[in-house]
Amino acid sequence: MVSLRINNEVKNFDAPPDMPLLWVLRDILGLTGTKFGCGIAQCGACTVHLDGAPVRSCLLPVGSIGQRAITTIEGVGATGVGAKVQKAWLDLEVVQCGYCQSGQIMSATALLNATPHPEDSDIDAAMAGNICRCGTYVRIRAAIKHAAEA
Amino acid sequence: MGGSLVVAFHLPFARSAPAQKPEFAPNAFIRIDAHGKVTLIMPQVEMGQGIYTSIAMILAEELDAAFAQVTLEAAPPNDKLYGNPTFGLQVTGNSNSIRAFWLPLRKAAAAARAILVQAASQQWKVEPTSIRTADGEAVHEASGRRLAYAALIDRAQGLTPPKDPPLKNVQDFKLIGNPLKRLDTPDKVNGKVVYGIDAMPPGVKFATLAACPVFGGTVGHVDDAKAKSLPGVRQVVVLNDVVAVVGDHMWAAKQGLGALDIRWNEGPNATVSSDDVWKQLRDASKTEGAVAKSMGDVAKGLAEGDLLEAAYEMPFLAHATMEPMNCTVHVTPTTCEVWVGSQVLSRAQSTAAKVTGLPLDKVTVHNHLIGGGFGRRLETDMIASAVQIAQQVDGPVKVVWTREEDIQHDIYRPVYRDTLSATVSNGRIVGWKHHITGSSVIARWLPPAFQKGIDIDAIDSGADIPYDIPNLRVEYLRDEPPAVPTGFWRGVGPNNNVFAIESFMDELAKKSNKDPLAFRRDLLGKAPRLKAALELAAAKAGWGNPLPPRTGRGIAAQTAFGSFIATVAEAEVDADGEVRVHRIVCAVDSGIVVNPDTVVAQLQGGLIFGLTAALYGKITIDKGRVQQSNFNDYRMLRINETPQIEVHLIKSGEAPGGIGETGTTAAPPALGNALFAATGIRLRRLPIDRDILSGKKPA
């Protein structure tokens, strides 16, 4: 039996300790907002927060998490910065197909929590791990700056 | 028959329930119920291009519905009602949704509005011409009477729609032309959106699979003892060409797959390499092709003036949609239910029917918002495999391809070789011959469109070249590569033609000692819209302004997908041949624009998609296998490498042009020309070769 704190709720379930959090979220808990893109932490679609820090859940074994707080895309909007990021994403119409955007928003929110007024180089460093095949990068950058000012 | 996904943006997400009172359904695209709910049925699929919103805008405009109140619903599989007029079947692709549906949707909505006006005129006993409509209401100004559409639907039921309803004048548009917020995006920022891969029918099991690493190979022997002993592994399904593991979750399925000992029959393709592919293509390109276009006397033209000859080559490319291939299926003895994201909904249904042998009305397909199409989801191979697996599984099973299987078992953008010969004299082109060699996707995907050896897609933007050329021949020769399956990839035919032509135009400009902008401009006498786009892009880019050393500007002009676009790229090359793209400026004439913001977004995104291909994209073959496997070795452009992008829209009253693929085709030649300007080195193959740019290898 594994017990995890996810979006301020305790979830109990059965899973092998080496099972990545991504699949627990999606297949066991039905939280499908976190996406599978590559399985090797190259694309960022699976990004969640662990005690506020961005992590790639596709390579995060549930046995290693302990009591640390997990936030997913389903819960990040309940935070001030998360809500600002989501609003900026819609204000600037960042989204095209949207599949990568859960990960983008999680990475962007973590960035703004750590660096409230990021420079372009901060944005580059924080967001380079999130691939967008539709090419929404121009608007992602603008939306991060927009959220920072909100 | 079939199913439908109800995507409600102002009401709770729900399946369409049977109406309590009769709804007004004047045509396949519009339903209005007694409560005033206006449901718009989407014939095309939303994969990020914003088409749901644009189609809703077109319908709501002519209907005069209150846009804030509309609900969208995906069309069920039904070619007769929802087929793309260009293709005769349900297809979202070729940047053609608005071009194909612009008039049909406007007419359908205008006819619906006309019936509602007629109903109001009967109710009020006034002339229809005295009634105006707005925001879902009919209004009789003279008496101040108004009725919501909902109040008119009973009376409207018995009325006959006019065959040729008057359409609004462009200047009277209230919605069309405005950057309205997209209807599908709110749920894409909060985790609520459901893609095919997120489908969770009750009791679903999870599967992943492996195909033979060598193209066309089959399963020889499977030792599944270890796999079956792993916790969470439920079942191993062995088909002729793939092996799947079914488990309690994807992790168990993946672990199980990794624990299988599979011996493959590699088959006849086990020695095929990229060298074989190029040799075959180059040999084939020496043979005359079918003539796609002929003007004047090409032999005479090519004997007059200064001759230049060049050959351009493009590699296989994978689609790498962010949502990997997946399909969820539940097969019972009498039914088949499918959850998927498909660009070809009726083909998805017929594929499932074919595999199961069930009649169409027992096959339900739930289409979904798509996490990247790019042409990959114009195919139904993933559906066929998933149905075959599901036939051996009790209950629903979600089959998800790993990224490695997705990249190594794609249906690839073909290799192309374009050979061009032309003569120039006094800054003008005298003779021009363009020979296109490559796979014909059309011959496989839509055989009736492949006639007399001509693939209409492979010659697209090649045969209809916009420049003033008195003696011209464009030929196409079909050459199918060994082993590798080919399909449509964003940009399709224009990808190779625009790259080859715009690179060659730059080379001809150099040969003529003319500036690349001036050379093109002076040859666009018959193409005023493209000429205007060219001049605008150049002006906005500051064409001619000085640049630092090793930095160059390149320009490319294209007529593609019914739109006229000019693109200027600014790129810098360092001593190691590494490229930094600083800025791209684009001017677009796409006729009447439904939603300008989606046009800008598609250009921004498309340019990045094309840049990715030009900088990094290649799929190589060795021993019959794809060498690339995931994003570590099939590289994608990321935010830190993205240039500044400016898009300028030209206002036009012409018929709408297509946009979805235009940025993809524009970026590579603009980049290639910028790299030439920066280094004096001409790259005739993609992706760019840094060793050539740095001088380590000859061009």
Side-chain angles (χ1 to χ4, degrees):
Chain A
M1 179 64 69
V2 181
S3 188
L4 292 179
R5 288 170 56 207
I6 302 175
N7 298 330
N8 291 315
E9 272 183 51
V10 174
K11 298 282 190 188
N12 300 306
F13 52 89
D14 276 315
D18 67 342
M19 180 165 173
L21 176 62
L22 173 66
W23 301 115
V24 166
L25 291 172
R26 290 183 59 79
D27 296 351
I28 295 181
L29 299 175
L31 292 167
T32 57
T34 306
K35 303 303 186 196
F36 168 59
C38 71
I40 59 168
Q42 280 285 308
C43 80
C46 67
T47 308
V48 300
H49 293 170
L50 203 55
D51 281 345
V55 292
R56 311 301 184 206
S57 64
C58 70
L59 289 185
L60 179 66
V62 290
S64 71
I65 295 172
Q67 280 308 293
R68 289 180 287 172
I70 297 163
T71 313
T72 71
I73 186 68
E74 288 90 348
V76 78
T79 70
V81 174
K84 282 197 180 121
V85 171
Q86 288 174 326
K87 181 171 191 300
W89 249 239
L90 293 179
D91 286 348
L92 268 55
E93 214 54 295
V94 170
V95 177
Q96 292 190 24
C97 89
Y99 192 81
C100 76
Q101 299 295 348
S102 296
Q104 302 281 1
I105 288 165
M106 296 308 285
S107 292
T109 303
L111 166 65
L112 288 171
N113 276 326
T115 311
H117 299 284
E119 308 269 2
D120 278 322
S121 55
D122 299 313
I123 295 173
D124 283 349
M127 304 300 295
N130 288 81
I131 296 175
C132 172
R133 201 69 175 107
C134 298
T136 66
Y137 301 128
V138 171
R139 295 190 183 207
I140 288 175
R141 184 182 298 277
I144 289 172
K145 292 177 180 174
H146 187 74
E149 257 104 76
Chain B
M1 104 142 59
S4 59
L5 178 73
V6 177
V7 188
F9 301 104
H10 303 285
L11 297 173
F13 187 95
R15 282 195 194 266
S16 63
Q20 299 308 309
K21 285 188 195 175
E23 285 184 316
F24 173 56
N27 55 60
F29 305 104
I30 295 169
R31 289 199 318 265
I32 304 178
D33 75 8
H35 305 288
K37 177 170 129 189
V38 176
T39 304
L40 303 177
I41 292 96
M42 302 285 108
Q44 300 298 83
V45 302
E46 175 62 67
M47 42 191 180
Q49 80 282 48
I51 198 62
Y52 261 23
T53 305
S54 299
I55 285 178
M57 287 170 68
I58 294 170
L59 288 167
E61 179 75 72
E62 293 288 356
L63 180 59
D64 270 331
F67 193 65
Q69 308 305 323
V70 304
T71 295
L72 306 190
E73 191 174 289
N78 189 323
D79 286 336
K80 188 153 173 277
L81 293 180
Y82 300 108
N84 185 319
T86 306
F87 296 95
L89 68 149
Q90 284 167 296
V91 182
T92 306
N94 206 42
S95 307
N96 125 303
S97 295
I98 292 181
R99 284 186 289 166
F101 282 96
W102 173 245
L103 283 180
L105 291 178
R106 288 182 68 196
K107 286 185 178 155
R113 177 189 163 274
I115 301 176
L116 291 162
V117 166
Q118 216 188 321
S121 84
Q122 285 181 5
Q123 176 108 352
W124 292 329
K125 296 185 179 41
V126 298
E127 285 301 311
T129 48
S130 67
I131 297 171
R132 66 172 182 86
T133 50
D135 292 319
E137 282 192 317
V139 180
H140 182 240
E141 292 284 18
S143 61
R145 284 176 289 182
R146 35 189 357 120
L147 275 173
Y149 287 168
L152 293 165
I153 67 168
D154 287 340
R155 200 180 271 277
Q157 299 288 9
L159 301 176
T160 317
K163 274 221 158 54
D164 237 324
L167 302 179
K168 280 192 186 180
N169 289 319
V170 172
Q171 54 264 37
D172 297 330
F173 285 155
K174 291 194 216 120
L175 301 174
I176 292 173
N178 293 298
L180 302 187
K181 287 276 178 264
R182 274 175 53 179
L183 300 173
D184 57 308
T185 46
D187 277 352
K188 288 177 172 175
V189 302
N190 60 17
K192 286 192 184 149
V193 59
V194 179
Y195 300 95
I197 203 173
D198 301 322
M200 291 289 261
V204 68
K205 297 199 259 286
F206 303 83
T208 194
L209 77 181
C212 180
V214 174
F215 285 112
T218 55
V219 181
H221 177 78
V222 181
D223 184 343
D224 61 11
K226 179 149 182 276
K228 282 193 163 143
S229 74
L230 295 180
V233 171
R234 302 268 207 109
Q235 198 181 345
V236 176
V237 175
V238 180
L239 303 177
N240 181 51
D241 57 342
V242 304
V243 184
V245 177
V246 183
D248 291 339
H249 38 70
M250 180 71 168
W251 180 242
K254 269 179 98 171
Q255 297 297 91
L257 189 69
L260 289 174
D261 182 4
I262 306 174
R263 248 156 295 146
W264 301 99
N265 296 326
E266 292 191 341
N269 295 318
T271 56
V272 172
S273 71
S274 283
D275 284 347
D276 298 324
V277 171
W278 289 115
K279 178 167 195 309
Q280 182 185 304
L281 186 69
R282 288 165 184 163
D283 285 343
S285 79
K286 295 175 191 152
T287 305
E288 237 176 68
V291 177
K293 183 138 181 212
S294 182
M295 278 183 355
D297 183 338
V298 155
K300 188 156 172 281
L302 288 175
E304 225 178 279
D306 296 327
L307 178 70
L308 181 66
E309 296 184 305
Y312 300 89
E313 291 178 339
M314 302 182 92
F316 291 125
L317 291 175
H319 296 79
T321 57
M322 282 315 295
E323 180 193 3
M325 291 308 110
N326 64 87
C327 184
T328 302
V329 185
H330 185 190
V331 175
T332 75
T334 53
T335 61
C336 178
E337 197 172 359
V338 178
W339 295 257
V340 74
S342 178
Q343 294 172 246
V344 282
L345 187 56
S346 58
R347 282 189 175 183
Q349 188 192 34
S350 60
T351 295
K354 185 157 177 242
V355 173
T356 55
L358 289 167
L360 281 177
D361 66 352
K362 296 296 182 204
V363 179
T364 303
V365 182
H366 307 285
N367 210 0
H368 288 70
L369 296 170
I370 289 177
F374 311 132
R376 181 61 179 95
R377 292 175 153 108
L378 286 169
E379 306 287 352
T380 58
D381 57 308
M382 77 295 281
I383 297 169
S385 293
V387 174
Q388 286 180 301
I389 291 165
Q391 285 178 306
Q392 299 193 28
V393 177
D394 245 336
V397 58
K398 181 191 300 197
V399 184
V400 177
W401 273 247
T402 61
R403 179 58 64 185
E404 291 79 4
E405 287 292 316
D406 182 287
I407 286 183
Q408 298 189 323
H409 298 283
D410 198 332
I411 298 180
Y412 302 87
R413 197 282 299 275
V415 290
Y416 284 103
R417 180 173 165 87
D418 288 67
T419 55
L420 283 145
S421 318
T423 43
V424 285
S425 175
N426 293 325
R428 300 199 65 82
I429 300 175
V430 185
W432 173 284
K433 184 172 162 212
H434 181 183
H435 182 289
I436 304 158
T437 317
S439 163
S440 173
V441 178
I442 283 277
R444 170 188 64 80
W445 193 87
L446 197 68
F450 186 78
Q451 298 284 341
K452 299 185 181 154
I454 299 284
D455 178 317
I456 56 171
D457 169 60
I459 62 164
D460 199 2
S461 297
D464 47 336
I465 180 173
Y467 298 107
D468 295 332
I469 303 172
N471 305 291
L472 167 145
R473 185 156 82 230
V474 181
E475 294 176 8
Y476 168 72
L477 183 86
R478 180 182 183 188
D479 178 60
E480 297 301 331
V484 182
T486 59
F488 292 122
W489 189 91
R490 191 180 191 186
V492 296
N495 263 323
N496 71 291
N497 291 313
V498 173
F499 174 66
I501 290 169
E502 285 304 295
S503 301
F504 195 55
M505 284 298 286
D506 233 48
E507 297 202 50
L508 291 175
K510 178 104 176 54
K511 195 153 186 79
S512 306
N513 266 314
K514 271 185 95 162
D515 169 272
L517 164 68
F519 181 69
R520 288 172 171 79
R521 191 186 52 218
D522 293 345
L523 293 170
L524 287 174
K526 298 196 198 81
R529 293 174 71 189
L530 185 59
K531 188 169 167 189
L534 183 72
E535 289 174 323
L536 181 62
K540 293 291 186 185
W543 185 267
N545 291 349
L547 284 167
R550 303 283 296 171
T551 304
R553 269 189 208 101
I555 196 161
Q558 67 179 39
T559 298
F561 307 105
S563 294
F564 305 87
I565 295 180
T567 308
V568 176
E570 248 171 58
E572 182 185 348
V573 184
D574 74 11
D576 294 318
E578 288 297 334
V579 172
R580 175 93 204 173
V581 186
H582 288 299
R583 187 176 170 228
I584 302 185
V585 175
C586 209
V588 182
D589 177 349
S590 160
I592 294 172
V593 167
V594 175
N595 189 317
D597 194 57
T598 60
V599 172
V600 171
Q602 282 297 283
L603 260 310
Q604 290 170 328
L607 287 166
I608 289 172
F609 199 85
L611 211 56
T612 302
L615 288 170
Y616 306 127
K618 73 176 172 184
I619 289 291
T620 54
I621 314 295
D622 185 44
K623 300 192 180 61
R625 301 148 196 258
V626 168
Q627 292 184 293
Q628 291 71 26
S629 62
N630 205 318
F631 294 123
N632 55 328
D633 55 19
Y634 191 62
R635 189 170 164 179
M636 296 289 127
L637 199 76
R638 294 166 184 269
I639 194 170
N640 55 312
E641 305 159 286
T642 300
Q644 208 184 311
I645 298 179
E646 295 157 38
V647 181
H648 302 276
L649 300 189
I650 295 172
K651 228 170 159 53
S652 164
E654 301 288 341
I659 274 298
E661 296 167 279
T662 52
T664 303
T665 52
L671 174 67
N673 295 341
L675 296 178
F676 178 77
T679 63
I681 296 171
R682 170 61 56 184
L683 297 174
R684 292 180 177 167
R685 304 188 84 220
L686 291 180
I688 62 161
D689 187 325
R690 287 151 186 84
D691 287 341
I692 295 178
L693 281 179
S694 65
K696 287 199 199 87
K697 260 165 64 178

